[in-house]
Amino acid sequence: MTAEPAVPGLDPHRSPSPGTELDEPALRVWRAFLQASVLLPRRLDEELQAAHGLSLAEYDTLLHIANAPDRRVRMSVLADRVLLSRSGITRLVDRLVANGMVERWACPTDARGAEAVLTGSGLDRLREAAKTHVAGIERHFLAPLDATDREAIEHGLGRVAEALDPCSQAMTAAPSRPAD
Amino acid sequence: MTAEPAVPGLDPHRSPSPGTELDEPALRVWRAFLQASVLLPRRLDEELQAAHGLSLAEYDTLLHIANAPDRRVRMSVLADRVLLSRSGITRLVDRLVANGMVERWACPTDARGAEAVLTGSGLDRLREAAKTHVAGIERHFLAPLDATDREAIEHGLGRVAEALDPCSQAMTAAPSRPAD
DNA sequence: TAAGATTGATAACTCAATCTTA
DNA sequence: TAAGATTGAGTTATCAATCTTA
């Protein structure tokens, strides 16, 4: 008991080597973000899985294909959007193909390329799953946030994400409009 | 081109079955959060790995042990803190033990239990890694956020996380004080 | 009988190497 | 020679089953 003063250089209450640690408020923001960033996707994944047998990544992939012109996307574009590696998206699409939600087509303009194309069944699955998923986002993410929180999170985390990967921002900023 | 109007029921511009989709602002907050929640931990993990051969989860585990009284923690407590399953923490601690950063001791008060104990070498590794990690958090997470953003993120995402897992909040709210 | 921790089997990702076409 | 996509090997997580002690 009376807890050892904790590790110098790590515990916010002591400051042995300045610059090596976060002050208390900074630590609290960081931990709040870290916790939410683990717990929230995990919960949404569980709900999606339980209700529709889809993982969050699979859902997200279907959604990106569905929102693309003609409901077809190049594999590499898809990988960028879903924040997965090339091989990762190959395997994920393999699963969707095996379950009849997606078909793989050769790219007409570049014979090296492949396109993932949503099937009717895939669209149906997606539409069903969307109800669950949207409800989950509203309940677990949006509900606890007031207008100020939402504004700040969009702004702040938007900048954070943009700095980490400038490419992936097209989608976030201007959803499904060709030019903006 | 001129992008098909996208999938009904999924695209914010059309509203075929109300309640099935998020409005545009909500969608933007959500996507900002989702992107940051993938990209930021990934980047911090890469930096830690490159500079010190530690994953983010390993770092976090070492930190929790280090900040515990006596630098020792029960495995199950550790699992809760690091948001890992029981078997997950067993395997992670296995790696830390194999690398000499942690030792496994029998729990004195409950012979079923085990405690993870930080070694001197583990503490050294942690201290070194902390420099990199704190710098990364400041640079990639805190720097793009102004005071308002931080406040909102701490409050808002704090509530989000708390609703998803009431237990895991003890740490976030009151770091390393026995009673609060 | 239940709780703490570990082990076996499995899933989903990564990197590096490969194959095909530009 | 390089770019798009896939395959092979390895890593790290999970769940379910097991072992030990309360």
Side-chain angles (χ1 to χ4, degrees):
Chain A
M1 31 203 88
T2 58
E4 283 272 334
V7 179
L10 300 165
D11 183 78
H13 301 288
R14 297 176 65 183
S15 215
S17 41
T20 256
E21 65 192 41
L22 264 27
D23 57 17
E24 267 236 47
L27 190 74
R28 285 199 304 265
V29 203
W30 168 243
R31 297 217 68 86
F33 170 79
L34 191 56
Q35 298 244 338
S37 78
V38 172
L39 294 174
L40 187 50
R42 180 181 295 182
R43 174 66 61 91
L44 294 173
D45 189 277
E46 284 166 7
E47 293 182 353
L48 226 31
Q49 195 84 52
H52 302 97
L54 284 176
S55 72
L56 185 54
E58 287 162 349
Y59 176 89
D60 221 45
T61 303
L62 289 174
L63 181 60
H64 277 293
I65 307 177
N67 278 338
D70 234 6
R71 286 170 201 168
R72 53 174 61 222
V73 201
R74 289 287 290 268
M75 295 297 286
S76 54
V77 175
L78 205 46
D80 291 344
R81 292 278 161 81
V82 187
L83 302 177
L84 235 51
S85 68
R86 248 50 179 259
S87 51
I89 200 63
T90 291
R91 271 143 179 156
L92 195 155
V93 168
D94 282 346
R95 298 197 301 270
L96 297 177
V97 169
N99 288 77
M101 292 181 269
V102 164
E103 283 173 359
R104 218 187 291 258
W105 288 75
C107 178
T109 66
D110 182 343
R112 293 172 301 182
E115 290 178 334
V117 185
L118 198 65
T119 65
S121 150
L123 184 54
D124 292 341
R125 284 288 288 281
L126 179 57
R127 284 202 178 112
E128 282 307 306
K131 298 175 191 165
T132 304
H133 190 236
V134 167
I137 293 175
E138 278 168 349
R139 176 148 164 246
H140 301 301
F141 179 63
L142 296 173
L145 304 177
D146 61 31
T148 314
D149 294 336
R150 297 187 193 192
E151 174 74 16
I153 289 174
E154 181 191 334
H155 251 222
L157 294 189
R159 267 202 302 276
V160 167
E162 185 170 13
L164 289 170
D165 177 8
C167 300
S168 78
Q169 291 306 304
M171 199 61 202
T172 311
S176 73
R177 236 97 50 92
D180 202 284
Chain B
M1 15 214 96
T2 58
E4 284 271 334
V7 178
L10 299 167
D11 182 76
H13 301 288
R14 297 174 66 183
S15 215
S17 41
T20 257
E21 65 192 43
L22 299 167
D23 57 17
E24 267 237 47
L27 190 72
R28 284 199 305 267
V29 203
W30 168 242
R31 295 217 68 86
F33 170 80
L34 192 56
Q35 297 244 338
S37 77
V38 172
L39 294 174
L40 187 49
R42 181 181 295 181
R43 174 66 62 92
L44 294 174
D45 189 276
E46 284 166 6
E47 292 182 352
L48 227 31
Q49 196 83 52
H52 303 96
L54 283 176
S55 71
L56 185 54
E58 287 163 350
Y59 176 90
D60 220 47
T61 303
L62 290 174
L63 181 60
H64 278 294
I65 307 176
N67 279 337
D70 234 6
R71 286 170 201 166
R72 52 174 64 221
V73 202
R74 288 288 290 269
M75 295 298 286
S76 54
V77 175
L78 204 46
D80 292 342
R81 292 277 161 81
V82 186
L83 302 177
L84 235 50
S85 68
R86 250 45 180 264
S87 52
I89 199 63
T90 291
R91 270 143 178 153
L92 195 155
V93 168
D94 281 347
R95 298 199 300 272
L96 297 177
V97 169
N99 287 79
M101 291 182 271
V102 164
E103 285 173 359
R104 219 188 289 258
W105 288 74
C107 177
T109 67
D110 183 343
R112 293 173 302 183
E115 289 179 333
V117 185
L118 197 65
T119 64
S121 150
L123 184 54
D124 292 341
R125 284 288 286 283
L126 178 57
R127 284 202 179 112
E128 283 307 305
K131 298 174 192 167
T132 304
H133 190 237
V134 166
I137 293 175
E138 278 168 350
R139 177 149 163 244
H140 302 300
F141 179 63
L142 296 173
L145 305 177
D146 60 31
T148 314
D149 295 336
R150 297 187 193 193
E151 174 76 15
I153 290 173
E154 181 190 332
H155 259 218
L157 294 189
R159 267 201 300 276
V160 167
E162 185 170 12
L164 289 169
D165 177 9
C167 301
S168 79
Q169 292 306 304
M171 199 61 204
T172 311
S176 75
R177 236 98 49 92
D180 202 286

